[in-house]
Amino acid sequence: MGAKTSREPLSRERTLAAAIALADTAGLKALTMRRLAADLGVEAMSLYYHLPGKEGLLDGLVETVINEINVEVKLAETTEDWRTGLRRRFLAAREIMLRHPWAPGLLSSRKTIPFGVYAYYDAIVGTLISGGFSHQVAHRALHAFGSLALGFAQEVFSPASAGGDTDVDAAEEDLSAMAEALPHLTAMMAAEAHDAADPTLGWCDSQVEFEFTIDLLLDGIARARG
Amino acid sequence: MGAKTSREPLSRERTLAAAIALADTAGLKALTMRRLAADLGVEAMSLYYHLPGKEGLLDGLVETVINEINVEVKLAETTEDWRTGLRRRFLAAREIMLRHPWAPGLLSSRKTIPFGVYAYYDAIVGTLISGGFSHQVAHRALHAFGSLALGFAQEVFSPASAGGDTDVDAAEEDLSAMAEALPHLTAMMAAEAHDAADPTLGWCDSQVEFEFTIDLLLDGIARARG
DNA sequence: ACCTGAACACCGTTCAAGT
DNA sequence: ACCTGAACACCGTTCAAGT
C-alpha cells in the first residue's frame, strides 16, 4: 500500500503484481490507474509505457490468475483416475480464487478470454476422453461444470465478489426483517444451525457445499458416460 | 434511444423502464446518468429527484428484473411435482435473463440483494420440502443449483454478459490460432460439429446444455433425497 | 529508454437557484 | 413539486516534452 521506494525501473510484471496486491487488499474498485501508480511511487502516465491502458491491465490480471491456477494444477499432476483428477483440479482452482476474491467477477465480465483458460479446459477434456467419455458427453460435462471448474460459483446470497465493503451487517438486518415473510428459508436456516455438529463453521459453510456440488456433478456425468 | 418528448413528469418507474431499455440496446456500460437523462429528455440532475443516485438506479434494475421473474413464475403456478415445478421455474427465469443479457453480471456484482431474490429462493425451498426433502438436502440443493436457479450460468467461453461489443470475430481468430495448441478442445469441437443433426443450431447450443445441466442436477438431488 | 505535466473528455454528485 | 446550471472531485487517456 505504501509507496515502494525502489530504484529499478518499472516493468509489466511489477505493475501486475502491485495491481493484484491492491485488488486483494482494497478491492477492484480501488484499482485505478492513478492509485496503482501512487502505490508504485510513480505518475499515472508512466503505466502506459508498460501496459496498453486500463483494459490491458485487467487482461493482465486475469491472465496472471489463470496462470497461477495452471501452475498449481501442473505441480500436482499424477496418475489418478479421471474423477479424482478433476476433483483435485477444481479444488486447486478454488484455492487460488479464494486468494483473489475479485477474480471470478472480473473473469466473467471480461470480453476477451486469455489463452490459459482454454488450456485449462483443454486439459479437462483430455482427462475426460482418457476416462472413456465421448466428445459429446465431455462437451456437456464442461457446460455442467461451468464456473465450478474454475473454482467458483455464483453465490447470489452473499456476493463478496464485487470488491468493496462486504455489507454483512445490512444483509443480516434485512434477513431478520424478512424472516416472517420467508417461512421456508427461515426454517431451513434454523434446522441447519441446529444440527451443525462442527461449531467452527458458520451455518452456511460454502466449502462443504462446493464439494457437495462437485461430487453431485461428477456422479451425474459418470452416469451419463454410458 | 431518441428523446421522448412527453409532458408528464418523470417518475421512478419511467426512469427504470428507460434504463432497462437503454441497457438492453446499448449495454450496461452505456447506462450513465447523463445519457439516461438525455434519453428521457431531461437533465442528469433531474434523475436525483426520483432515485437516490446511480447505485440506487442499479438496485432498481435488479429489483425490476427479479420481479419480472417472480411474476412470470407465479402466472404458471399449478399442481406439479417438485421436479417439473423446479424445471419450469428455472426455464422461466432463463427466458427473462435472455431478454436482459446484462442482468446476470449486474446481479452477481451487487452487494445488496433485493427481497425478490430471497422470495424466489424461498419458494424453491418450499417446493423441495413438500417434495419430501430434508432441510439439509434442500440447503445443499440450493447451492448446487446456484445461479442456474435464476436462469443463467457462468459462460466462461463466450461471455456476452458484460455489455459492450460482443467481440466474436476476435474470439474466433484467437480460437483458430490456438487450435493446434489445444488438441482436445479442437477434437471436441470437430466431433460436435459433425454429428449435429439439427442445422439451425450452432455447434454449441447453450439451451440444450442448460437443460442437460438442470436435469443432471435434479437427478442428483433426487438421489440425495434419501 | 523511461518518466512526467498539462490538458481533454468523460464520470457521479452537491448545492443553491429557478419555476 | 419538479427541474436546472454551475461547480467539484474524480476517472482514463493523449501528446508533447523532459532527462
Side-chain angles (χ1 to χ4, degrees), chain A residues 122 139 154 157 185 192, chain B residues 113 122 139 154 157 185 192:
Chain A
D122 189 74
H139 182 197
Q154 208 86 348
F157 275 97
L185 274 183
E192 284 290 76
Chain B
I113 299 144
D122 189 75
H139 183 197
Q154 207 86 349
F157 275 97
L185 274 183
E192 282 291 75

Side-chain angles (χ1 to χ4, degrees), chain B residues 68-87:
Chain B
E68 276 187 50
I69 292 177
N70 280 328
V71 165
E72 182 90 0
V73 160
K74 225 127 219 162
L75 284 181
E77 209 151 15
T78 54
T79 54
E80 310 154 304
D81 65 309
W82 66 269
R83 202 189 151 122
T84 58
L86 289 184
R87 195 172 199 282

